[in-house]
Structures are given as structure tokens and as C-alpha cells.
Amino acid sequence: MLVIRSLIFILLQLVLTPIFSTLAILTFPFSPLTRYRLISSYARTMIWLLGVVCGIRYQVIGIENIPKEPCVVLCKHQSAWETLALQVIFPPQAWVLKRELLWLPFFGWGLAMTSPIAINRSDGTGAVKQLLKLGKQRLAQGFFVVIFPEGTRIPFGNRGKYKIGGALLAASSGVPVVPVAHNAGRLWGRNSFIKHPGLITMSIGAPIDTKGLKADEINARTEAWIENEIQQLAH
């Protein structure tokens, strides 16, 4: 049954993604925030389908911690689930992602309309400069900037190296960091076809005031909170 339900979800995703991506491209004349609000309906649809088809539900702890003003969101990356759920739970956001994603037919073209911060990961220093420049622009436009500090999806229960880019952006911009932990990897693992039914918990931490803090201290505080919270969500 798990295989059948997971297959149905994938097939629906394959049918709907080109449709939504085409509609996303057609939002080009609108303002960046309006484009985002229209395009994020894709994520809402996928989250709904995950619940109906695969039996994946979710709850949010600490939603009151989301600031009213744009900030930097540093989130644990375990699954594809959080890439959808963040769009449902948080205000309009710009994502830091590898530029190659924008080259994907349909999906990448639609993604480009959401005002992402697409960086060349192989260009170390250049990628950081691009993150800081475009990140500040997106914050000024009213976007929350979402970054996965580990850089890639990490299997549930494991821990990757927290890169400092997001902390540098927050420190240089003077905006808070909101740490986010979740246990999505238990139900929908990294690169996993099978999606197990159950309840995912996303926990949103209190904003970290970055004023007067260096980037490495911001990064350390963020990592400590996320990894401690992950331990709590594991029980």
C-alpha cells in the first residue's frame, strides 16, 4: 500500500508540475511578492496531496516566533517536505539555492519566477559575495531569506557542517535569525520514493537577535538550538 500511495503522489506531481510551472512563467508581469504568492499555491497543493494521498500530516510549534518583518530563516534540511512546508507556514520568502536548479525544464523555469538567490557553489568567495548582495536586496523587497545551513539534505538523526553564509547575511544586514527544526526525515527520507504516513512536527525557535554578534557566534547559537530541538523531536 505504501508503494501504491507513493506512486500515486509521484504521478500527480509529474502531471501538475508542468502545469503550475507554465502558470508561474505567466506571472512575469507581476511584482516579485505577487508572483511569489501566486506561485506558492503549488507548495500548498503538494502539502494537501501529501496529506490526502500519503497520510502525511504536520503540526507547527512556535509559529508565534515568526517575526512580522523580513529575517533570515535557517532550517534543518532532511527531506523535500520542508521545501514545500516552509512556503505554507512562513511569509513570502526567497531561497538560496544552487543555480543549476533553474536550468531544469518547467520546474526550474517556474522556480526562477520566485526571486531565488541562485548561486554558483563552486565559486567559494564569489558565491558568498553574491549571497550577501542578493540577500540584502531580497530582504529590502520584503522577502524572508531561507537558507539550509548544512547545504544539502542530511538523513534524520545525522548532522552536517553548518556553513556560515546565512549567519554572515544576518550579521551584515542586522536582521534576526529564526532557527527551524523538524523531523520530516522520519517519514520522507532523503531521496526516498516511499512516503510513510504519520505526523511531522516543525519547531520554530525564538528569533536570535544578531546585533552585536559576529557571524560565527550567530552560526553556533543557531546550530545549538536546531540540533538540541532535533533531539527533542526524535522522542
Side-chain angles (χ1 to χ4, degrees), residues 66-88:
I66 300 177
K68 297 188 182 300
E69 298 299 322
C71 64
V72 174
V73 178
L74 298 183
C75 181
K76 188 75 176 179
H77 200 16
Q78 298 174 353
S79 169
W81 178 85
E82 62 271 14
T83 66
L84 301 168
L86 286 167
Q87 298 176 60
V88 175

Side-chain angles (χ1 to χ4, degrees), residues 10-223:
I10 288 294
L11 292 175
L12 288 171
Q13 193 175 36
L14 288 174
V15 170
L16 292 173
T17 297
I19 296 173
F20 274 95
S21 297
T22 301
L23 293 174
I25 295 169
L26 296 177
T27 67
F28 178 76
F30 298 105
S31 69
L33 285 173
T34 299
R35 288 203 307 264
Y36 176 86
R37 292 188 176 99
L38 293 172
I39 296 169
S40 62
S41 61
Y42 172 79
R44 297 180 185 278
T45 302
M46 292 300 111
I47 288 292
W48 179 77
L49 284 175
L50 281 169
V52 172
V53 177
C54 300
I56 294 180
R57 299 168 290 114
Y58 72 93
Q59 64 178 358
V60 181
I61 300 171
I63 197 165
E64 69 278 2
N65 289 325
I66 300 177
K68 297 188 182 300
E69 298 299 322
C71 64
V72 174
V73 178
L74 298 183
C75 181
K76 188 75 176 179
H77 200 16
Q78 298 174 353
S79 169
W81 178 85
E82 62 271 14
T83 66
L84 301 168
L86 286 167
Q87 298 176 60
V88 175
I89 297 164
F90 278 80
Q93 56 214 242
W95 288 52
V96 176
L97 45 81
K98 57 184 180 181
R99 64 177 183 177
E100 289 80 5
L101 288 176
L102 303 185
W103 304 341
L104 297 174
F106 294 108
F107 178 79
W109 306 337
L111 186 61
M113 292 295 101
T114 64
S115 303
I117 300 170
I119 61 174
N120 178 6
R121 286 184 175 178
S122 63
D123 182 19
T125 302
V128 173
K129 289 181 178 178
Q130 188 178 20
L131 166 59
L132 296 180
K133 178 183 177 181
L134 294 180
K136 290 176 182 178
Q137 289 180 6
R138 298 296 183 267
L139 289 167
Q141 290 174 319
F143 286 102
F144 283 50
V145 175
V146 174
I147 301 175
F148 297 117
E150 292 164 292
T152 188
R153 283 175 284 184
I154 303 296
F156 182 75
N158 292 1
R159 184 172 183 164
K161 177 179 174 56
Y162 279 61
K163 298 177 176 61
I164 204 167
L168 282 170
L169 174 60
S172 63
S173 304
V175 300
V177 162
V178 174
V180 178
H182 60 86
N183 55 6
R186 298 174 68 177
L187 303 184
W188 184 0
R190 176 184 180 184
N191 300 326
S192 176
F193 168 75
I194 299 296
K195 297 157 187 67
H196 299 270
L199 180 67
I200 292 172
T201 298
M202 174 177 280
S203 182
I204 302 170
I208 299 171
D209 186 356
T210 63
K211 292 183 176 62
L213 297 180
K214 293 182 179 180
D216 55 354
E217 186 174 358
I218 297 169
N219 209 38
R221 290 190 185 187
T222 301
E223 180 177 2

